[in-house]
Amino acid sequence: MKVALLGGSRGIGAAIVRHLARDGHEVAFTYFGSAEAAARVADDSGATAAKVDSADRQGVRAWLDDLAPIDALIVNAGIGVTGDPLASDPDEIDRMIDVNLRGPWHAAVDAARVMSEGGRIVFIGSVNGERMPGPGGAAYAMTKAGLIGATKGLARDFGPRGITVNTVQPGPVDTDMNPADGEHVKLMYRAMAIRRHAEPAEVASLVAYLLSPAAAMITGGTLNIDGGFAA
């Protein structure tokens, strides 16, 4: 399977690249601000890295056209801007919307143009798309909630070609963005049934399953991997 991964140099993305490469997939991934990390992932996995801004619609489309045909797209690129909405920087919010929502939409549509029958599209969303336990995360939650609607609609649109579209929604995952020793751990764990951070490799395993033949009838779904955070 030829897999394109938008955002794969760190954290969850890097774990997905390594897992899929071990499974024998041909993997190409993008990075933007982490050239050294991307080089390490590429060296470790044998995957191909390309510097592409996930919010640059033309750049992403050119990258996908160069890879065509592909069998799967995973959209992992994302940023988080939180804080009092009355004091937030509108430009930062717009940038988050571009990366977290507009970019994934256009990437999925453009990928479908060059995707094989029976292909796979997986968005990496967030459990915050369905549950925001405290103040300051409204704009971030909005972008992740938008992926749920896109998933359901595109599953209908691409279903006649056997292309599945799903969103994986992690809860707390031990990454640079949300480390297991971070300041908000106690607050997050109070809402969880299994009170620990997930490992990036656990999220990668779920993505790998969605790319497998066994998942051919799973589409339009949001799959939580959150220790019961949204339960």
Side-chain angles (χ1 to χ4, degrees):
M1 178 178 280
K2 191 173 185 180
V3 181
L5 196 151
L6 196 62
S9 63
R10 296 184 301 165
I12 292 171
I16 295 170
V17 171
R18 292 186 171 106
H19 189 124
L20 296 181
R22 287 196 305 269
D23 286 351
H25 298 298
E26 181 182 349
V27 182
F29 70 95
T30 69
Y31 69 95
F32 187 60
S34 306
E36 291 184 6
R40 286 194 297 271
V41 174
D43 288 343
D44 292 347
S45 65
T48 301
K51 186 174 183 179
V52 179
D53 183 351
S54 60
D56 176 3
R57 180 166 56 88
Q58 298 300 330
V60 171
R61 184 167 189 176
W63 175 67
L64 291 168
D65 286 345
D66 286 343
L67 295 174
I70 63 173
D71 302 298
L73 170 74
I74 302 158
V75 182
N76 175 68
I79 57 176
V81 178
T82 59
D84 182 352
L86 298 179
S88 62
D89 182 337
D91 290 335
E92 290 185 358
I93 299 299
D94 283 348
R95 171 66 178 172
M96 181 171 64
I97 293 169
D98 287 342
V99 172
N100 291 9
L101 190 54
R102 288 197 183 101
W105 168 265
H106 290 300
V109 171
D110 287 336
R113 302 181 199 277
V114 296
M115 188 169 285
S116 309
E117 296 286 319
R120 302 283 196 270
I121 296 172
V122 179
F123 297 118
I124 305 300
S126 169
V127 71
N128 291 139
E130 295 185 288
R131 181 180 185 189
M132 178 49 66
Y140 177 75
M142 173 184 68
T143 65
K144 296 303 183 178
L147 291 179
I148 299 173
T151 295
K152 294 180 182 298
L154 291 177
R156 298 283 186 184
D157 293 327
F158 300 155
R161 293 173 54 198
I163 296 172
T164 66
V165 186
N166 293 286
T167 292
V168 170
Q169 297 190 143
V173 181
D174 190 13
T175 63
D176 292 342
M177 184 181 294
N178 185 10
D181 59 357
E183 61 179 315
H184 301 300
V185 167
K186 291 182 179 179
L187 174 64
M188 290 185 288
Y189 286 5
R190 281 204 298 267
M192 298 170 71
I194 301 173
R195 294 180 176 178
R196 68 170 177 85
H197 276 51
E199 294 297 329
E202 292 177 297
V203 181
S205 293
L206 178 54
V207 173
Y209 171 72
L210 290 173
L211 267 56
S212 73
M217 283 295 286
I218 301 175
T219 195
T222 52
L223 293 86
N224 291 351
I225 179 166
D226 67 345
F229 185 90

